[in-house]
Amino acid sequence: MDKKSFRDQIDEIDAQLVKLFSDRMALAAQIADYKKKNNLPIFDPKRERDVLTSVINQTPDEIKDYTPFLYSLIFTLSRSYQNRLNGISSELTQKIQDAIETTPRLFPEYASVACQGIEGANSQFACDRLFRNPNILFVSNFEAVFSAIEKGLCKYGVIPIENSTAGSVNSVYDLMMHHKFSIVRSVRIRIDHNLLVKPGTKLEDIREIYSHEQAISQCSHFLSTLPNVRVIACENTAVAAKMVAESGRNDIAALASVSCMKYYTLECLKESVQNTDKNYTRFICISKNLEIYPGANRTSFMLTLPHEPGSLYKLLSRLFALGINLNKLESRPLPNREFEFMFYFDIDTPVYSPKLLQLIGELPTACEQFTYLGSYSEVF
């Protein structure tokens, strides 16, 4: 037999599979109607286990390992179809609908905003990009940003969440587990690090360089050319610049922005010393209350899953079944739970999409814990 003959046989089998799949989904629709009339849940884990055991026993040994993957997807598609037919709804989906209707049409131009750092910090630049004339409350650390909005000291907070070079800001992800907030917008800004010194300082004079740990990571190539210089992490890049300006020393430097050079009357010895010119940091704007502004096309949530094989795969298959694009998946270890994790998702779909509301309605039943963080748009 030649390749065409094999393909012809495959095509014939595919036609049968499509017919059988259609028949199976038609029966799933009838079952959905029965469950709705009798107030029964869509998800029946015992039935799915029984079916999976049965089909595995009928499968030849050489392909037995593939059967659970196939049927897990079939179960997910069937549940998703039944949920769509029955118009799944929940307290959370209603809360999202209410927020869409009650949030103002325009993002505010003026607001009180908490930022970590001091004048010249990158969080300030992100804040200025989001708001026309923000009233900024500078705080000492990221946890204080969350606390400021929880206590009503500020309406919004702006915090960095990831960098294109250094990766995620893990401390922020860890704080998300312990605070209640909603993401209302995000912004991505280009980060440019420069070697700043007091006027008159030369490169060969420098014995110590100060900056934020993320900036140090982003400038690792340049710093490797200075093996005899001690690199010291501090709260943020603006604090490093201020420290150099007020130190009275001519043997230290800071990795910070050009704006910090102007704020603190420093000189630039080396421009743009980051590893790459395409160095961007993404900041999120958080609020105590859920606000969903027009154009929201990104949604974030966090969840924990059962500590068993395939639990993450089953969740991802739901996104695949609904045709929802996953932008980011981050995991952080759960305190006091050995080798278990909290997962953070960013998905790319309009908040007005029925698929999103269906997913949000389904997920709480598939997770041990589920938290919706908000739907929003990103400013570039």
Side-chain angles (χ1 to χ4, degrees), residues 137-206:
L137 170 66
F138 287 107
V139 296
S140 59
N141 54 57
F142 295 138
E143 184 162 24
V145 176
F146 286 96
S147 296
I149 65 165
E150 288 175 336
K151 295 176 181 177
L153 300 176
C154 292
K155 185 169 177 59
Y156 300 104
V158 173
I159 48 177
I161 196 167
E162 62 179 321
N163 176 264
S164 58
T165 301
S168 298
V169 185
N170 291 332
S171 59
V172 171
Y173 279 101
D174 291 339
L175 286 168
M176 288 182 180
M177 299 186 206
H178 308 292
H179 294 275
K180 292 183 178 181
F181 65 96
S182 293
I183 304 175
V184 298
R185 188 145 292 191
S186 63
V187 61
R188 191 171 301 189
I189 64 171
R190 184 177 181 275
I191 304 296
D192 188 59
H193 297 302
N194 305 272
L195 188 66
L196 306 183
V197 296
K198 287 180 66 68
T201 302
K202 298 178 181 179
L203 185 61
E204 56 267 26
D205 298 333
I206 297 174

Side-chain angles (χ1 to χ4, degrees), residues 92-93 95-97 99-100 103-104 107 156 181-186 282 284-287 289-302 324 345-353 355-357 359-360 370-378:
L92 177 56
T93 56
K95 184 178 178 181
I96 292 172
Q97 294 281 24
I100 292 173
T103 301
F107 194 75
Y156 300 104
F181 65 96
S182 293
I183 304 175
V184 298
R185 188 145 292 191
S186 63
R282 181 171 169 245
I284 55 173
C285 180
I286 60 174
S287 171
N289 300 316
L290 178 61
E291 299 175 1
I292 302 177
Y293 290 91
N297 57 5
R298 180 186 290 241
T299 292
S300 297
F301 53 84
M302 60 184 183
I324 294 176
F345 289 79
D346 286 347
I347 58 175
D348 181 21
T349 189
V351 70
Y352 317 101
S353 169
K355 294 180 179 179
L356 176 64
L357 294 180
L359 177 69
I360 295 297
F370 176 81
T371 303
Y372 169 74
L373 298 178
S375 296
Y376 52 95
S377 57
E378 184 159 292

Side-chain angles (χ1 to χ4, degrees), residues 42-334:
I42 294 295
F43 182 41
D44 186 344
K46 182 180 184 305
R47 168 61 178 167
E48 290 190 6
R49 285 195 300 271
D50 291 344
V51 171
L52 187 58
T53 300
S54 175
V55 296
I56 288 176
N57 290 336
Q58 297 174 56
T59 304
D61 289 342
E62 61 269 22
I63 60 171
K64 224 181 248 303
D65 290 342
Y66 301 101
T67 303
F69 294 100
L70 172 63
Y71 272 82
S72 290
L73 181 58
I74 289 175
F75 293 154
T76 298
L77 295 172
S78 179
R79 272 187 263 115
S80 179
Y81 185 44
Q82 291 181 353
N83 282 323
R84 190 176 76 187
L85 292 173
N86 284 1
I88 186 170
S89 184
S90 67
E91 182 179 342
L92 177 56
T93 56
Q94 186 59 53
K95 184 178 178 181
I96 292 172
Q97 294 281 24
D98 291 343
I100 292 173
E101 295 175 6
T102 58
T103 301
R105 300 295 90 188
L106 295 176
F107 194 75
E109 293 185 341
Y110 311 97
S112 57
V113 187
C115 293
Q116 185 268 342
I118 59 175
E119 291 285 345
N122 287 318
S123 291
Q124 177 194 342
F125 303 145
C127 185
D128 290 338
R129 182 76 64 85
L130 289 164
F131 301 93
R132 183 177 177 184
N133 188 24
N135 178 20
I136 299 178
L137 170 66
F138 287 107
V139 296
S140 59
N141 54 57
F142 295 138
E143 184 162 24
V145 176
F146 286 96
S147 296
I149 65 165
E150 288 175 336
K151 295 176 181 177
L153 300 176
C154 292
K155 185 169 177 59
Y156 300 104
V158 173
I159 48 177
I161 196 167
E162 62 179 321
N163 176 264
S164 58
T165 301
S168 298
V169 185
N170 291 332
S171 59
V172 171
Y173 279 101
D174 291 339
L175 286 168
M176 288 182 180
M177 299 186 206
H178 308 292
H179 294 275
K180 292 183 178 181
F181 65 96
S182 293
I183 304 175
V184 298
R185 188 145 292 191
S186 63
V187 61
R188 191 171 301 189
I189 64 171
R190 184 177 181 275
I191 304 296
D192 188 59
H193 297 302
N194 305 272
L195 188 66
L196 306 183
V197 296
K198 287 180 66 68
T201 302
K202 298 178 181 179
L203 185 61
E204 56 267 26
D205 298 333
I206 297 174
R207 295 292 174 265
E208 295 176 354
I209 294 177
Y210 293 83
S211 197
H212 186 266
E213 59 184 357
Q214 283 264 329
I216 292 170
S217 175
Q218 294 161 27
C219 301
S220 59
H221 296 169
F222 169 72
L223 293 173
S224 68
T225 67
L226 305 172
N228 298 320
V229 175
R230 185 183 176 202
V231 180
I232 304 171
C234 61
E235 293 92 327
N236 61 48
T237 56
V239 167
K242 184 179 181 182
M243 185 187 308
V244 171
E246 297 176 350
S247 67
R249 296 171 58 183
N250 287 92
D251 62 345
I252 64 174
L255 294 172
S257 67
V258 171
S259 295
C260 284
M261 178 183 70
K262 297 174 181 176
Y263 273 121
Y264 301 109
T265 320
L266 298 173
E267 287 185 351
C268 179
L269 279 186
K270 293 283 185 179
E271 296 180 353
S272 301
V273 296
Q274 65 273 5
N275 296 347
T276 174
D277 287 337
K278 296 180 179 179
N279 184 33
Y280 293 87
T281 294
R282 181 171 169 245
F283 294 79
I284 55 173
C285 180
I286 60 174
S287 171
K288 183 177 181 179
N289 300 316
L290 178 61
E291 299 175 1
I292 302 177
Y293 290 91
N297 57 5
R298 180 186 290 241
T299 292
S300 297
F301 53 84
M302 60 184 183
L303 52 84
T304 58
L305 294 169
H307 191 47
E308 60 188 32
S311 59
L312 180 58
Y313 166 78
K314 291 175 183 177
L315 176 64
L316 294 175
S317 68
R318 291 173 181 265
L319 301 181
F320 177 74
L322 290 170
I324 294 176
N325 185 45
L326 176 64
N327 278 338
K328 182 178 177 65
L329 170 58
E330 183 79 21
S331 63
R332 295 299 301 157
L334 286 167

